[in-house]
Amino acid sequence: MAGSKKRYALIGTGGRAIFFYTAIARDYSNTSCIVGIADTNQTRMNFANDKLESLGHPKVPTYLASYFDKFITETKPDEVIVTTIDRTHNIYIVRALELGCNVVTEKPMTIDVPRCLQIFDAVEKTGNKVRVTFNYRYAPHNTKVFELLRSGAIGTVTSVHFEWALNTSHGADYFRRWHRDRRNSGGLLVHKSTHHFDLVNFWLQTRPQTVYAQGDLKFYGRENAEARGVRDFYTRAHGSDVARRDPFALHLEDHAQLKAMYLDAEHEDAYYRDQSVFGDGISIEDTMNLLVRYKNGAVMTYSLTAYAPWEGFRVNFNGTGGRLELEVVENSYVNSGGDQAAEGSIEKTTLLLRPLLEKPQEIEIPQGTGAHGGGDTVLLNDLFGEPVSDEYMRAASHVDGALSILTGIAANKSIATGQVVNVDDVLKIPRT
């Protein structure tokens, strides 16, 4: 491998990791290379190495996560890519910074305030950098919204209504996996909504001030299923006759990649990727509603539903000079269940500008290619391609990562207490 290439070590070889290491091997081999991978599961590391080799990248050394220091010392990366489960992000971010590396981390940056403070302290002490990969910032329709709002197309934004719908394929998947345990993910208001809260921070160039929230488990979970008359239950789909009659069941053996990454890896860690969404032990909500006031005076109403009959979002901005309306319908997917480029791909996008006292205008949006409305492609080029300037300021730092999760952390606190939560009382982040 050429010495001029940027060297990346990757920890965590689950579904999202594929996004990074395949891109480097397939599209950015001139500028970047993988020098090692680490995980708690050797089978998944072997899968990742086979995938790299199939794309023309040489196999790389593998390390168990418990040997993280040795992993970094021996592979000598410039940057570490962190794609482990959310509750362990801080462990590897902090240690990578201490060992002299910059970090690229999957969202959310972390899941709670103590972990967030650890990351801030490590950045300050080491001077190294953390990059949070908010791919939705890079989707052409979301960039166009930023551009229009920045131009003053609707004057000063006074309120935002943001509705996100996860359908019964994608939404259900969070209730099959490790995400269903709040201790791992912080709940969907941290794990998933970090994308959405970051978009609003980015679009309005502000930060949250107060949050009031309500949330419940209304659809998934055994008690809800029992209330709807369901009588037959199972713990996991594999080997279950009951699961064959459940349209919400995920059958790992029917998906070559899921089988190789999870079913064939169970003997090492007993992690079951195909748990019943109507089982016990779910500690996160599937129905969430928020009222957020921002420091610039704007107010947002937000809802997230994880069992909708369609996938996508609607966001409306009201301003002193008009209104901007965006609707995006996304195609359904299951994480790692098929073509990576299909994840979050767009079925339909409509952007409507309604100036005050004028006729509405449908705004043309450049068509992106690839996953998440084309955002993944642009993000990857920003991460691993030749450096280019970005007039939209889409690259997200540890400060952006913290501000996005603070809305969700404050919302979780509000749900628990029934009170309005002042975000600065949760964690006050200095302006940088």
Side-chain angles (χ1 to χ4, degrees):
M1 295 179 185
S4 60
K5 295 180 182 180
K6 186 169 281 190
R7 298 166 61 84
Y8 291 91
L10 184 144
I11 181 159
T13 55
R16 195 60 180 163
I18 299 174
F19 167 71
F20 294 103
Y21 69 70
T22 58
I24 289 174
R26 183 183 59 238
D27 303 319
Y28 298 100
S29 58
N30 291 332
T31 57
S32 309
C33 63
I34 302 288
V35 295
I37 52 180
D39 200 298
T40 57
N41 189 292
Q42 187 65 49
T43 301
R44 271 194 291 281
M45 288 193 283
N46 294 343
F47 174 86
N49 248 335
D50 290 343
K51 194 91 169 174
L52 283 172
E53 191 174 42
S54 73
L55 295 170
H57 191 293
K59 288 188 174 183
V60 297
T62 63
Y63 296 78
L64 290 174
S66 53
Y67 295 95
F68 185 76
D69 282 23
K70 182 181 180 183
F71 169 49
I72 301 304
T73 301
E74 292 186 352
T75 61
K76 298 179 174 59
D78 301 304
E79 302 199 8
V80 176
I81 300 172
V82 178
T83 51
T84 60
I85 65 173
D86 298 347
R87 68 172 169 81
T88 63
H89 282 185
N90 65 299
I91 297 170
Y92 304 114
I93 291 172
V94 168
R95 193 63 186 135
L97 293 171
E98 292 172 343
L99 291 170
C101 303
N102 290 327
V103 174
V104 174
T105 182
E106 176 60 5
K107 63 81 195 166
M109 183 175 75
T110 188
I111 64 169
D112 60 24
V113 168
R115 289 173 167 91
C116 197
L117 287 171
Q118 290 175 18
I119 294 169
F120 269 72
D121 288 345
V123 170
E124 185 176 352
K125 288 175 182 176
T126 66
N128 295 319
K129 296 179 180 179
V130 175
R131 177 82 177 267
V132 185
T133 54
F134 287 122
N135 49 353
Y136 273 108
R137 287 188 177 202
Y138 292 82
H141 50 272
N142 293 329
T143 301
K144 178 59 73 172
V145 167
F146 175 84
E147 187 179 356
L148 288 166
L149 295 178
R150 184 177 63 174
S151 74
I154 62 168
T156 300
V157 176
T158 55
S159 66
V160 182
H161 178 66
F162 199 161
E163 176 192 15
W164 201 288
L166 297 168
N167 69 8
T168 50
S169 177
H170 182 198
D173 210 33
Y174 294 109
F175 296 83
R176 301 184 185 111
R177 300 183 278 166
W178 53 262
H179 308 72
R180 65 195 263 143
D181 187 339
R182 183 181 302 278
R183 296 171 300 176
N184 289 331
S185 65
L188 289 181
L189 287 171
V190 172
H191 174 82
K192 182 61 180 175
S193 299
T194 185
H195 267 317
H196 318 152
F197 300 146
D198 174 70
L199 277 176
V200 178
N201 296 344
F202 167 67
W203 281 328
L204 303 188
Q205 292 294 289
T206 188
R207 46 178 71 188
Q209 180 173 321
T210 61
V211 178
Y212 175 71
Q214 294 190 348
D216 292 287
L217 186 65
K218 294 282 194 182
F219 183 77
Y220 300 110
R222 181 162 182 147
E223 288 183 72
N224 290 319
E226 287 174 341
R228 293 192 297 271
V230 177
R231 295 291 177 265
D232 297 323
F233 294 93
Y234 58 96
T235 302
R236 59 168 308 193
H238 185 64
S240 169
D241 291 335
V242 173
R244 283 292 170 188
R245 303 192 298 273
D246 179 11
F248 289 86
L250 177 66
H251 302 286
L252 298 174
E253 61 272 25
D254 296 343
H255 304 266
Q257 186 162 278
L258 288 173
K259 179 179 182 297
M261 291 178 64
Y262 298 106
L263 188 61
D264 294 348
E266 289 176 2
H267 65 281
E268 292 190 48
D269 55 18
Y271 170 60
Y272 302 129
R273 175 67 177 78
D274 60 346
Q275 297 173 78
S276 169
V277 300
F278 302 119
D280 289 320
I282 296 173
S283 56
I284 64 173
E285 299 86 8
D286 57 21
T287 310
M288 293 139 280
N289 296 274
L290 276 66
L291 183 64
V292 183
R293 178 175 290 277
Y294 290 89
K295 293 201 172 184
N296 69 348
V299 175
M300 174 180 70
T301 55
Y302 169 86
S303 70
L304 176 65
T305 303
Y307 49 91
W310 71 287
E311 176 93 5
F313 68 95
R314 298 185 180 100
V315 59
N316 302 319
F317 303 86
N318 296 304
T320 56
R323 178 177 167 93
L324 185 64
E325 302 172 352
L326 174 65
E327 177 176 291
V328 177
V329 180
E330 296 185 353
N331 291 305
S332 178
Y333 70 94
V334 171
N335 186 276
S336 304
D339 180 9
Q340 196 87 25
E343 296 192 358
S345 59
I346 300 300
E347 182 178 313
K348 183 183 75 169
T349 305
T350 306
L351 182 59
L352 195 62
L353 175 63
R354 297 181 182 272
L356 283 183
L357 308 176
E358 297 178 27
K359 291 183 178 180
Q361 311 165 27
E362 185 161 346
I363 305 298
E364 186 176 347
I365 302 169
Q367 293 300 306
T369 58
H372 296 100
D376 281 6
T377 302
V378 186
L379 169 66
L380 288 167
N381 191 66
D382 195 25
L383 288 170
F384 306 125
E386 297 291 346
V388 294
S389 62
D390 181 10
E391 63 173 303
Y392 304 109
M393 303 172 291
R394 291 173 291 195
S397 70
H398 66 292
V399 174
D400 300 307
L403 289 171
S404 71
I405 60 172
L406 276 178
T407 305
I409 291 169
N412 283 336
K413 184 175 181 180
S414 180
I415 290 170
T417 63
Q419 303 297 311
V420 175
V421 175
N422 188 308
V423 174
D424 282 350
D425 291 343
V426 176
L427 176 62
K428 188 168 185 177
I429 299 175
R431 292 194 174 272
T432 57

